[in-house]
């Protein structure tokens, strides 16, 4: 939730101050989808459903990293803002990778 709130605020800034609507919309969708998909995974009906929803959240985190890189590399997003949010998105991605891997492992006897 905290990351999604930061994304909403960043996209508001990109729209209002930078007039960057297209990429901000893409970042808004992927960045807020991470938490939404993970929340949905919490009510999964099976282990397979759980893994699937967590994997979607993982893909959305990777997409968000792409949009953040693009915004920085085109000069739309200042380095200080990038440095503030990018590591958080990377950390979410690492957590989701870990959850995906551990939920895929077969139980040991």
């Amino acid at each position: 939730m905290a990351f999604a709130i930061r994304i909403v605020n960043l996209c508001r800034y990109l729209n209002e101050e930078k007039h960057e609507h297209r990429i901000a919309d893409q970042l808004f969708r992927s960045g807020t989808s991470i938490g939404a998909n993970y929340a949905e995974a919490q009510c999964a009906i099976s282990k397979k459903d759980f893994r699937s929803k967590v994997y979607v959240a993982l893909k959305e985190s990777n997409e968000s990293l792409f949009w953040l890189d693009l915004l920085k590399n085109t000069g739309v997003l200042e380095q200080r803002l990038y440095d503030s949010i990018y590591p958080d998105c990377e950390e979410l991605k690492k957590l989701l990778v870990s959850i995906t891997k551990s939920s895929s492992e077969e139980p040991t006897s």
Side-chain angles (χ1 to χ4, degrees):
M1 179 64 73
F3 183 76
I5 291 168
R6 293 189 69 203
I7 288 293
V8 167
N9 290 329
L10 175 58
C11 290
R12 185 178 295 131
Y13 165 78
L14 291 170
N15 281 319
E16 293 172 3
E17 301 295 324
K18 298 292 186 168
H19 306 290
E20 180 51 65
H21 304 285
R22 290 184 181 117
I23 298 173
D25 184 52
Q26 294 293 331
L27 178 61
F28 183 90
R29 290 171 193 244
S30 64
T32 58
S33 181
I34 299 166
N37 278 290
Y38 189 74
E40 196 174 340
Q42 299 304 303
C43 293
I45 59 173
S46 66
K47 190 172 183 177
K48 182 179 177 182
D49 186 37
F50 175 82
R51 279 192 308 265
S52 174
K53 290 177 183 357
V54 171
Y55 189 70
V56 170
L58 170 59
K59 292 184 343 180
E60 296 294 341
S61 68
N62 203 54
E63 181 180 343
S64 297
L65 291 170
F66 171 83
W67 294 123
L68 290 168
D69 278 337
L70 181 62
L71 287 164
K72 180 189 67 97
N73 291 331
T74 56
V76 175
L77 188 62
E78 296 88 3
Q79 187 70 44
R80 68 175 179 78
L81 291 174
Y82 176 85
D83 290 344
S84 170
I85 198 164
Y86 192 90
D88 292 346
C89 193
E90 272 189 319
E91 186 64 28
L92 281 173
K93 181 181 174 184
K94 288 176 186 176
L95 289 168
L96 293 165
V97 165
S98 178
I99 293 167
T100 302
K101 285 181 179 179
S102 65
S103 69
S104 296
E105 295 171 356
E106 292 297 318
T108 56
S109 333

